[in-house]
Amino acid sequence: MNEDANSSCALSHHTDNWTTIQWRKVIQSVSRLQRRIAKAVKKKRWGKVKALIHLLSKSFFAKLLAVLRVTSNKGGKTPGVDNKLWKSHDEKLQAARSLKVRGYRPKPLRRVYILKKNGKKRPLSIPTMHDRAMQTLFKIALDPVAETTADPNSYGFRPRPSCNDAIAQCFLALCRKNSAQWIFEADIQACFDNIRHDWILKHIPINKTILNKWLKAGYIENKRLFPTNMGTPQGGTISPLIMNMVLEGLEKLLDRQYPRWKGQKVNFIRYADDFVITANSKEIITKEIVPLVKQFLLGRGLLLSPEKSKITHINDGFDFLSQNVRKYKGKLVIRPSKTSVQSFKDKIKKIIRENHGIPAHALIRILNPVIRGWANYHKGICAKRTFQKIGKFIWTQLKRWAKYQHGNKNLWWIVHRYFHDLHFSDKCITKNGTVVHRLYRIGYVPIRYHVKIKGEANPFQPEFDKYFFNRTKKREQLTKECRQITTFIVNDDTDSNDSRVFHKRNGLKSA
């Protein structure tokens, strides 16, 4: 009865057609319920939390939002065992109406394997579209609970924190002369695959029947059905959130065991299942912290990876989230790691090698998102020299591409065609006229150090709305400034003095 009432009420708000849905009202309605859940969690009114989660899982607006998220991300083009996708507007609307708890039975997962950096294969279990939408619906209801109870220095799989925040916290914990000198780099062995089901069912506050069905759904490989007695599928939309809730509490445990006034300088930074713990001495890590972490993980069915978990000194440095953190003569410097730089170079080289024969403007459209994404990830650390070296590397690779492309032309013709305006550029004739495509100049990307997010900031609590608004506004200003610098072009009719003034004002080298 409640579902029918909610559906009829929602349909009166122009939800009888997918194209006429007012998504602003949908998001506002869902956000209002999420804020009430976060407020109840903060006051530890768990009965009200359970009732509000049940109410949100019945909301037709939440079902519409769940279908929108499932169909609009990259996984929306990957089917499950039923080989079904939601492409048309009518299919999406019908899918939202079919998300009901009563009589729900998830289908088995489709097992595929993806390659890892070390050459091994990682199993990936993909649910059907209907199961993914159902998981997303309950994830929308569970997000405020996870955000309110999360560890302050946990940054993975959360709405606002990012990798840059984790690296910024590493800088704050290790930058001073009297900071901790020893670091425990920890990695959990097959984290998603080994979590105990009984622990999940006991501590995750959503419908236990639905949750148990997801965990016990099994997977199909080579037309055979295999049971799942432990772990949560990596392809599920709710699995990262469950993993975060399984690991939360470790930082609070360390804070109780090693308070600030003891002076042991124990800090905890976690991103997903990778985390680092700092301490004043190696003995504290080996004799106290490592056994404490192992005991904490053992209750959840998890183990530390012996290959990736190690203890290092800050002068030797360590790699975390594709960046190297190390002290040089007492000064902390964070740079892109060697493996990250090399893998990026290999990717650029592969793209250029595989695209011989296509026009230059088409190659630029392929390269620009890759270069811009890598630069944006690393522009908050000491990466200026790395950017310049990579810029020279890309320039050299493109010169070779141009020579291969035009083997019967001399060097002057190639330079005048592609490299005459400080860019690798090309003209493309379209219906609207001539469009000039220019390569993103990574060597000119300005370094803007990232400001870490507040540990207690919660996007589901109204007192932090102004903080997140100002933070987003400042980030947009920095992005706009970066775009202006990297897209500056010296045209044929531009005075060279104007070019020198621009480079001098922005701290760039003149061509």
Side-chain angles (χ1 to χ4, degrees):
M1 293 292 292
N2 291 335
E3 289 184 3
D4 296 338
N6 286 336
S7 299
S8 61
C9 180
L11 289 173
S12 63
H13 290 83
H14 306 286
T15 56
D16 54 343
N17 191 331
W18 186 265
T19 57
T20 60
I21 295 175
Q22 299 179 7
W23 290 108
R24 179 176 294 181
K25 289 186 177 180
V26 170
I27 295 173
Q28 287 177 351
S29 176
V30 174
S31 299
R32 194 178 300 114
L33 280 174
Q34 287 180 319
R35 287 171 181 262
R36 291 178 63 188
I37 293 172
K39 185 178 180 180
V41 173
K42 190 175 181 181
K43 295 182 178 180
K44 298 183 179 181
R45 298 177 62 183
W46 299 109
K48 188 174 182 180
V49 171
K50 185 178 179 180
L52 289 172
I53 289 177
H54 178 76
L55 180 63
L56 186 55
S57 64
K58 296 282 186 179
S59 169
F60 187 67
F61 282 154
K63 294 176 182 179
L64 288 172
L65 187 59
V67 173
L68 177 67
R69 290 184 180 179
V70 167
T71 55
S72 60
N73 61 13
K74 293 181 180 179
K77 299 179 181 179
T78 306
V81 292
D82 57 354
N83 203 26
K84 290 183 179 179
L85 293 175
W86 298 333
K87 295 181 179 179
S88 66
H89 298 322
D90 293 336
E91 289 177 341
K92 295 176 183 178
L93 192 60
Q94 185 62 31
R97 292 171 180 167
S98 66
L99 295 179
K100 298 180 181 180
V101 174
R102 181 174 295 178
Y104 169 71
R105 290 189 65 183
K107 293 184 178 179
L109 311 169
R110 183 167 69 93
R111 175 61 64 93
V112 296
Y113 291 90
I114 56 176
L115 286 174
K116 299 170 68 175
K117 292 182 179 179
N118 55 8
K120 297 181 181 180
K121 290 184 177 180
R122 173 180 294 162
L124 190 67
S125 301
I126 303 174
T128 62
M129 293 289 289
H130 186 269
D131 294 336
R132 267 179 275 171
M134 202 71 178
Q135 291 182 15
T136 305
L137 175 63
F138 280 90
K139 180 181 180 296
I140 291 172
L142 197 58
D143 264 332
V145 181
E147 277 295 305
T148 309
T149 60
D151 291 330
N153 290 310
S154 170
Y155 302 97
F157 301 126
R158 293 176 61 187
R160 292 290 184 166
S162 63
C163 297
N164 294 328
D165 293 309
I167 294 297
Q169 178 61 26
C170 287
F171 179 84
L172 294 175
L174 299 168
C175 65
R176 299 176 181 83
K177 291 183 179 179
N178 59 348
S179 296
Q181 300 294 313
W182 292 92
I183 299 95
F184 174 50
E185 306 172 61
D187 183 83
I188 301 173
Q189 186 175 8
C191 181
F192 284 92
D193 300 330
N194 295 326
I195 304 174
R196 286 171 46 184
H197 285 179
D198 57 346
W199 195 97
I200 295 176
L201 292 170
K202 184 178 179 181
H203 294 89
I204 304 299
I206 58 174
N207 191 311
K208 306 299 181 185
T209 304
I210 300 293
L211 184 57
N212 186 58
K213 288 180 180 180
W214 287 334
L215 298 176
K216 304 294 184 182
Y219 64 92
I220 292 179
E221 185 178 4
N222 297 328
K223 298 182 180 180
R224 290 180 59 192
L225 178 62
F226 295 89
T228 50
N229 298 320
M230 61 176 61
T232 177
Q234 292 197 37
T237 56
I238 201 173
S239 297
L241 181 62
I242 291 177
M243 188 271 297
N244 261 348
M245 298 185 73
V246 167
L247 295 180
E248 72 181 22
L250 182 55
E251 182 179 3
K252 297 172 185 175
L253 178 63
L254 291 171
D255 289 342
R256 288 196 302 266
Q257 194 75 14
Y258 305 98
R260 296 289 179 184
W261 58 268
K262 284 189 175 181
Q264 293 172 336
K265 301 170 185 175
V266 176
N267 297 283
F268 177 86
I269 304 105
R270 180 172 71 85
Y271 189 91
D273 59 340
D274 297 331
F275 57 91
V276 295
I277 301 175
T278 67
N280 224 5
S281 65
K282 188 176 182 180
E283 289 74 16
I284 295 176
I285 295 177
T286 54
K287 295 181 180 179
E288 300 180 18
I289 293 178
V290 173
L292 186 66
V293 172
K294 287 182 177 179
Q295 184 180 3
F296 176 86
L297 296 177
L298 191 62
R300 292 150 173 79
L302 302 174
L303 297 172
L304 289 175
S305 173
E307 300 175 355
K308 299 180 181 179
S309 300
K310 54 185 177 180
I311 302 172
T312 56
H313 195 272
I314 189 61
N315 292 336
D316 299 327
F318 65 96
D319 290 346
F320 185 55
L321 301 177
S322 300
Q323 297 179 352
N324 181 261
V325 184
R326 184 179 177 182
K327 272 190 176 180
Y328 296 87
K329 297 181 180 180
K331 183 177 181 180
L332 186 70
V333 179
I334 304 177
R335 296 172 178 170
S337 64
K338 292 182 180 179
T339 55
S340 175
V341 173
Q342 188 59 46
S343 63
F344 178 68
K345 286 183 177 180
D346 294 340
K347 187 174 183 179
I348 293 294
K349 192 183 295 185
K350 182 180 178 181
I351 292 173
I352 295 175
R353 190 189 303 117
E354 291 179 349
N355 289 283
H356 284 305
I358 68 173
H361 60 82
L363 179 63
I364 291 171
R365 286 199 300 269
I366 297 172
L367 286 174
N368 273 352
V370 178
I371 299 173
R372 186 184 294 110
W374 197 86
N376 288 339
Y377 181 79
H378 292 285
K379 69 180 181 181
I381 57 174
C382 304
K384 191 65 177 179
R385 290 184 182 179
T386 305
F387 286 169
Q388 291 174 349
K389 290 179 181 178
I390 289 178
K392 292 178 181 178
F393 169 80
I394 296 174
W395 196 265
T396 304
Q397 295 296 318
L398 290 174
K399 280 185 178 179
R400 293 178 180 177
W401 178 89
K403 288 180 181 179
Y404 182 90
Q405 200 81 338
H406 306 281
N408 58 343
K409 300 293 184 180
N410 57 31
L411 183 61
W412 180 89
W413 186 93
I414 293 173
V415 171
H416 183 74
R417 171 71 182 273
Y418 296 116
F419 303 96
H420 71 286
D421 57 359
L422 299 180
H423 279 78
F424 177 75
S425 60
D426 188 33
K427 296 180 180 180
C428 177
I429 299 175
T430 63
K431 295 180 179 180
N432 299 325
T434 303
V435 179
V436 180
H437 296 271
R438 301 181 177 91
L439 189 75
Y440 187 81
R441 302 187 301 176
I442 191 172
Y444 289 80
V445 174
I447 300 300
R448 298 291 184 267
Y449 293 117
H450 182 77
V451 179
K452 192 185 81 70
I453 192 172
K454 291 181 179 179
E456 68 276 8
N458 189 337
F460 300 106
Q461 293 180 359
E463 56 264 29
F464 293 104
D465 287 348
K466 186 177 180 181
Y467 169 76
F468 283 116
F469 175 79
N470 293 333
R471 186 176 176 85
T472 304
K473 186 177 180 181
K474 186 175 182 181
R475 180 174 293 183
E476 289 175 353
Q477 291 176 352
L478 292 175
T479 303
K480 184 178 180 181
E481 177 186 350
C482 178
R483 188 181 293 113
Q484 289 176 349
I485 294 175
T486 53
T487 58
F488 179 80
I489 183 69
V490 181
N491 296 319
D492 295 335
D493 56 349
T494 302
D495 192 348
S496 60
N497 291 329
D498 297 337
S499 173
R500 294 192 187 96
V501 170
F502 173 87
H503 284 75
K504 187 175 180 180
R505 285 179 179 177
N506 291 278
L508 306 176
K509 293 182 179 180
S510 300

